[in-house]
Amino acid sequence: MSILKRYSLLCDLYLALQLAFWPTLRQMWATPSLLFQPTAVSRIFMSHVWSAFGPGIDENNVQLKTSLITQNAYGIVLDLGAGHGHTAKYLDTTRVTKYVALEPNVFMHDEIRRTADAAGFSEAAGTLLLLACGAEDTTTILTSLGGYQPVDTLVSVLTLCSVPEPQETIKSLATEVLKPGGQVLLFEHVQNPQPHIAWWQTFWSPLWALAFDGCKLDRPTHAWIQQVGGWAREELTGVDGEDEEHLFWHRVGKFVKAT
């Protein structure tokens, strides 16, 4: 692994700091109590970062998301870590009855509403449900959707890298929230299978998590989903043309729960 690849993410870290530091500081100046709310400060920072990074990341993956989401999503769709609601753009309104955007960062909620509305999903029509809890809060998810195993399609796009207690969360979502016959649609950066690259992912993760609201580079998320078991079908691939020695090594997958 070249030196350039080992340190490549420093450019993204610098750009994130450049874009989000002063806007975050201005909000802290206007609301001094934020000094005692580190989680809120992190989310304010991330909201500014994602305003700059999110549209480009989405644009670079249009073909992948169309193939993964548009062609598969149906019924009640739960979007983990909805961000700015980009997933809504890829949902077929003739097949999806409700878009449930799960986003604990309330500073992103207005953008989710705008994006979802443009895609044909709204709170007024009952086709958009916006939840401010995290993916680990399955109790709130189930209560909000009216009972056990209410979701047909669970979408995770660059999200499970940052949820707390990821293995327990993944298991709870798969067993308690997803219907029998339902599906998980996955697009995540995960732990690289090459040990020397995984070492660098672990090395950078604490610093990266500070700038990107808890995001970890070294989680084998795809393997944790497989380990849940109970899947009638598993499809897991990489991203065409992606460098195998990349710190951001992605897996794309579809897991269908047994009935």
Side-chain angles (χ1 to χ4, degrees):
M1 187 182 188
S2 69
I3 292 177
L4 183 62
K5 290 178 181 179
R6 294 174 192 174
Y7 295 95
S8 59
L9 53 65
L10 288 177
C11 292
D12 288 332
L13 285 169
Y14 173 76
L15 183 58
L17 189 63
Q18 186 180 46
L19 291 167
F21 178 76
W22 290 112
T24 303
L25 191 62
R26 283 194 292 270
Q27 286 180 256
M28 293 176 68
W29 182 267
T31 311
S33 62
L34 286 170
L35 287 170
F36 307 101
Q37 302 175 59
T39 299
V41 172
S42 176
R43 288 176 176 174
I44 290 169
F45 187 92
M46 185 60 186
S47 70
H48 292 299
V49 169
W50 200 243
S51 291
F53 280 59
I57 292 173
D58 178 58
E59 185 65 30
N60 290 339
N61 292 288
V62 168
Q63 186 174 352
L64 184 153
K65 289 184 177 182
T66 299
S67 176
L68 176 67
I69 299 171
T70 309
Q71 295 181 17
N72 292 297
Y74 70 92
I76 296 176
V77 174
L78 176 61
D79 185 15
L80 303 180
H84 284 174
H86 290 140
T87 292
K89 297 162 52 178
Y90 300 92
L91 300 178
D92 182 346
T93 55
T94 66
R95 301 179 68 229
V96 174
T97 56
K98 179 174 286 190
Y99 173 52
V100 184
L102 191 70
E103 180 50 68
N105 191 333
V106 296
F107 301 103
M108 296 188 182
H109 284 193
D110 287 345
E111 194 62 39
I112 291 174
R113 289 188 177 94
R114 283 191 287 269
T115 305
D117 186 68
F121 300 94
S122 70
E123 289 167 309
T127 54
L128 168 65
L129 177 61
L130 184 51
L131 299 179
C133 64
E136 70 280 4
D137 189 356
T138 53
T139 299
T140 297
I141 296 170
L142 294 174
T143 301
S144 301
L145 290 173
Y148 189 65
Q149 296 181 333
V151 169
D152 299 289
T153 304
L154 195 157
V155 177
S156 183
V157 175
L158 306 179
T159 293
L160 290 172
C161 53
S162 59
V163 301
E165 301 176 350
Q167 288 175 274
E168 183 178 333
T169 296
I170 289 168
K171 184 176 180 179
S172 295
L173 289 168
T175 57
E176 299 173 21
V177 176
L178 192 64
K179 286 180 181 177
Q183 59 185 344
V184 175
L185 304 179
L186 174 81
F187 172 44
E188 295 281 353
H189 64 77
V190 301
Q191 184 181 66
N192 195 295
Q194 301 184 62
H196 67 290
I197 300 174
W199 187 93
W200 282 100
Q201 289 178 311
T202 300
F203 175 81
W204 287 119
S205 279
L207 181 60
W208 187 262
L210 283 175
F212 289 86
D213 200 21
C215 174
K216 303 292 180 62
L217 306 178
D218 58 349
R219 289 183 173 179
T221 304
H222 58 306
W224 289 340
I225 294 175
Q226 289 177 310
Q227 288 168 13
V228 170
W231 304 113
R233 188 163 77 252
E234 301 179 19
E235 301 173 12
L236 193 63
T237 63
V239 175
D240 290 342
E242 183 169 78
D243 187 350
E244 291 295 317
E245 289 196 335
H246 207 291
L247 289 172
F248 294 92
W249 193 70
H250 295 86
R251 295 289 90 179
V252 181
K254 175 182 176 181
F255 297 81
V256 179
K257 188 174 179 178
T259 56

